[in-house]
Amino acid sequence: MTIGLWQNWVLPGIWITIQLLVCSAALGAFVAFTVGMARTHRSRLVRFLATAYTEIFRGVSALVLMFWLFFVVPPLMGWQLVPMWAAVLALGLSYGAYGAEIVRGGLGAVAPAQREAAVALSFTPWQRMRLVLLPQAVPEMIPSFCNLLVELLKGTALVSLLGVGDVSFAAYLVRLATQDSAQIYTVVLVIYFVLAFGITRSMKALERKTKANLGVTAR
């Protein structure tokens, strides 16, 4: 593989993959915490709506949702999403549904005595969530979120089917140009591994920091 192919296709592809990961992860985190906390709400209607969202978006294919947002929504709504943002929406909404279950499980794992103590202190529901429940639940969520983030990284490869120039699409172009599949796909495997390794190390450091704030030593 020549320097030109690396500079013109592979490096921009890596940057687009990182952008997709960051934007999709940000949307997914927002959805996960919003829906996950709604799953524990006192209102039956709120819990029902949050559960319906989770079941629907966990049950549909992220790839089909991506195609639906890009090809079906424009005729219905009268406006066109660019492929990048159709991909971000599809990935963020889909992986956010998985993350919502992580949030729900983490909140449910907090000792009931902690909730009772917050009620005894006359905390509002939002104060209980912000000051008592989330600080204790988030450190326990991080390992599961780490796995989900790595899966999201690998899921970004789906966007190549919309023609978005991520690293997997760049690999396809390089293969067409060089007729050498082994070299470019080996390089891409290494790129994904390096990105995933960076995610796992960063999340591990975050887990240690959040647990240290609670006086707990992370293994």
Side-chain angles (χ1 to χ4, degrees), residues 53-62 94 97-98:
Y53 175 90
T54 302
E55 295 301 326
I56 290 170
F57 280 89
R58 285 195 307 174
V60 300
S61 164
S94 297
Y98 291 101

Side-chain angles (χ1 to χ4, degrees), residues 26-27 46 218:
L27 176 59
V46 172

Side-chain angles (χ1 to χ4, degrees), residues 11-201:
L11 286 181
I14 295 172
W15 175 235
I16 290 176
T17 294
I18 293 172
Q19 287 180 294
L20 281 166
L21 176 64
V22 171
C23 294
S24 300
L27 176 59
F30 174 79
V31 170
F33 278 93
T34 300
V35 177
M37 289 189 291
R39 292 289 305 274
T40 67
H41 200 274
R42 291 177 298 177
S43 169
R44 183 175 298 179
L45 176 61
V46 172
R47 292 200 307 271
F48 171 79
L49 293 175
T51 301
Y53 175 90
T54 302
E55 295 301 326
I56 290 170
F57 280 89
R58 285 195 307 174
V60 300
S61 164
L63 177 59
V64 176
L65 178 60
M66 197 179 301
F67 285 158
W68 190 83
L69 289 170
F70 186 67
F71 294 111
V72 178
V73 168
L76 295 177
M77 304 298 292
W79 44 264
Q80 178 73 56
L81 279 172
V82 297
M84 180 80 166
W85 292 114
V88 167
L89 276 176
L91 294 172
L93 294 174
S94 297
Y95 283 86
Y98 291 101
E101 283 298 282
I102 296 173
V103 173
R104 183 192 64 82
L107 292 173
V110 177
Q114 298 293 322
R115 299 173 184 267
E116 295 166 5
V119 172
L121 292 170
S122 300
F123 283 3
T124 65
W126 172 240
Q127 286 176 322
R128 292 198 296 270
M129 182 66 70
R130 181 171 59 89
L131 301 176
V132 178
L133 300 179
L134 283 177
Q136 296 182 68
V138 167
E140 303 304 323
M141 300 176 194
I142 290 176
S144 297
F145 271 124
C146 178
N147 290 334
L148 191 60
L149 197 54
V150 172
E151 287 300 316
L152 176 57
L153 168 65
K154 292 183 285 188
T156 60
L158 296 174
V159 306
S160 62
L161 297 176
L162 289 181
V164 179
D166 73 316
V167 69
S168 57
F169 187 73
Y172 170 73
L173 295 179
V174 171
R175 185 184 68 82
L176 290 180
T178 64
Q179 298 301 310
D180 185 354
S181 299
Q183 183 185 39
I184 182 57
Y185 284 117
T186 300
V187 170
V188 170
L189 282 176
V190 172
I191 290 170
Y192 276 111
F193 171 77
V194 170
L195 292 174
F197 185 78
I199 290 170
T200 55
R201 291 296 92 191

